[in-house]
Amino acid sequence: MDESETTLVINPIEDLKKLKALASEPRLEMLRLTREKTLNINEIAEELNLPQSTVATHISILEDAGLILTESVKAKKGNQKLCRPSFRDILIQFPEKQDGQKNYTEIEMPIGIFTDCKVTAPCGLCSGEKIIGLLDIPDSFLNPDRMKAGLLWCGSGSFEYKFPNNTMYDPKKLSKLELSMELSSETPGTNPNWPSDITIWINKVEIGTWISPGDYGDKRGRYTPLWWKLEGSQYGLLKHFSVTSQGSFVDGVKMSDIKLDDLKISEHHSIRVKVGVKDDAEHVGGMNIFGKGFGNYDQGIILRSYFDQN
């Protein structure tokens, strides 16, 4: 996991609430303790030799500032509030002056709002609160609650999404399409060395395949809810797929010679994006798609359309 996945950058001009929350020695100690392991209010109080009510007040301040995540779970007597930091590292940085205007439009698609899917077991989907439908039953992906999904997985198959084609209404010339999404392989019990060929199509044109290294469960994902079993997939890798006049790329590395003109963007009122694992791929290692509320990135599938400045 690289540093950018777990680092919060605080703008001291705009993020005063976060700075005020950090301006307390007890609260800093609580962040340090929960950085090492998930603790409840009583355990933190015992570690710091503080009253339980005092700890609860400090935790509430940290939670309100977005610096700590809490979840109420059942205990032997009643409920307990489990606490863990939202970020592993915190960096305070003044913003740099931005020159020029933004040269792109952006659309974020929740991962559960797919327009078509074909999956094989093991497969399933869940929201931030619960599993949706039944595990390993492809028909569960027809459940209306799929719109709330924060995690989708399958042994093979694909999901297709239909984005509005906003490029039709911009007079500037399209120079690049970019997709970003958090992905991993899928295998029961997780395995960091479990390759899977994950292919991307845009407007039914195959732009290329990225080989996912594995399925990650060594630690809980930054946003993965505490109810989700530790034996399950916890997070993926944030990948950027792009198409320009030079070809198609993943994280800047060329995947294929498919160019923007091959996608015929101007001929359609929507941009269709499909992501999947082919049944006849060299590495049929399954696929996890992480959305909001799961993994290390709190996002769905993001489509950016970049335009020439001139």
Side-chain angles (χ1 to χ4, degrees):
M1 192 186 308
D2 62 50
E3 181 182 0
S4 65
E5 295 176 2
T6 56
T7 300
L8 168 67
V9 179
I10 294 179
N11 178 343
I13 298 175
E14 298 179 355
D15 296 331
L16 289 178
K17 179 183 283 189
K18 289 183 173 60
L19 287 179
K20 289 178 180 179
L22 290 169
S24 162
E25 186 173 348
R27 290 197 286 273
L28 289 175
E29 279 297 300
M30 292 172 195
L31 286 173
R32 181 187 64 79
L33 285 172
T34 55
R35 187 173 184 266
E36 298 170 357
K37 60 180 178 179
T38 300
L39 299 171
N40 62 36
I41 298 291
N42 289 337
E43 290 169 333
I44 295 172
E46 291 175 4
E47 288 279 353
L48 299 180
N49 196 26
L50 290 172
Q52 183 179 343
S53 59
T54 299
V55 171
T57 299
H58 282 304
I59 291 296
S60 179
I61 292 171
L62 290 169
E63 186 178 14
D64 187 52
L67 296 173
I68 208 162
L69 298 173
T70 66
E71 185 168 351
S72 181
V73 299
K74 289 184 179 179
K76 291 182 178 178
K77 295 182 178 180
N79 293 327
Q80 62 176 334
K81 180 178 275 191
L82 298 180
C83 310
R84 59 190 174 101
S86 303
F87 304 91
R88 187 165 182 81
D89 299 296
I90 297 174
L91 174 67
I92 297 175
Q93 179 175 299
F94 284 93
E96 296 182 3
K97 183 179 178 181
Q98 299 293 320
D99 296 324
Q101 296 181 337
K102 187 174 76 170
N103 68 329
Y104 64 86
T105 61
E106 179 178 293
I107 303 171
E108 182 172 358
M109 184 69 67
I111 65 170
I113 306 185
F114 44 81
T115 54
D116 189 31
C117 77
K118 296 176 183 178
V119 298
T120 64
C123 61
L125 66 166
C126 59
S127 68
E129 293 78 36
K130 62 181 181 179
I131 292 172
I132 298 171
L134 301 173
L135 294 178
D136 298 334
I137 304 297
D139 285 349
S140 292
F141 289 86
L142 300 175
N143 191 310
D145 283 344
R146 66 186 175 84
M147 293 186 293
K148 303 174 185 177
L151 176 62
L152 309 173
W153 68 93
C154 62
S156 65
S158 63
F159 299 92
E160 185 173 68
Y161 301 85
K162 187 181 290 188
F163 290 79
N165 185 5
N166 292 338
T167 68
M168 298 183 70
Y169 311 104
D170 198 304
K172 296 186 292 295
K173 183 180 179 182
L174 181 67
S175 60
K176 179 172 74 171
L177 275 183
E178 182 183 83
L179 288 163
S180 71
M181 63 189 86
E182 185 174 357
L183 300 167
S184 79
S185 308
E186 161 59 22
T187 183
T190 76
N191 186 338
N193 301 305
W194 187 263
S196 187
D197 295 344
I198 298 179
T199 300
I200 305 295
W201 295 261
I202 298 179
N203 285 352
K204 299 186 178 181
V205 178
E206 183 178 325
I207 68 166
T209 296
W210 167 67
I211 303 177
S212 169
D215 184 7
Y216 303 104
D218 57 308
K219 60 185 71 175
R220 188 172 296 280
R222 181 167 138 194
Y223 294 100
T224 301
L226 294 176
W227 71 265
W228 180 247
K229 59 187 184 301
L230 279 172
E231 295 79 13
S233 305
Q234 294 295 319
Y235 62 91
L237 302 175
L238 187 66
K239 307 307 295 180
H240 294 83
F241 302 93
S242 60
V243 185
T244 71
S245 60
Q246 305 300 313
S248 297
F249 304 82
V250 55
D251 296 335
V253 178
K254 195 167 187 178
M255 304 168 68
S256 74
D257 290 323
I258 297 297
K259 302 176 177 61
L260 271 177
D261 288 346
D262 299 319
L263 306 181
K264 303 187 185 316
I265 298 297
S266 62
E267 298 180 13
H268 305 277
H269 286 274
S270 64
I271 299 175
R272 295 190 174 192
V273 172
K274 186 167 79 169
V275 52
V277 178
K278 299 178 184 178
D279 292 334
D280 60 353
E282 181 178 353
H283 306 101
V284 184
M287 176 176 67
N288 281 284
I289 304 179
F290 297 84
K292 281 188 173 294
F294 272 84
N296 282 337
Y297 302 89
D298 198 27
Q299 68 164 70
I301 298 175
I302 295 177
L303 174 66
R304 280 184 174 179
S305 303
Y306 288 83
F307 301 91
D308 287 339
Q309 292 282 36
N310 298 328

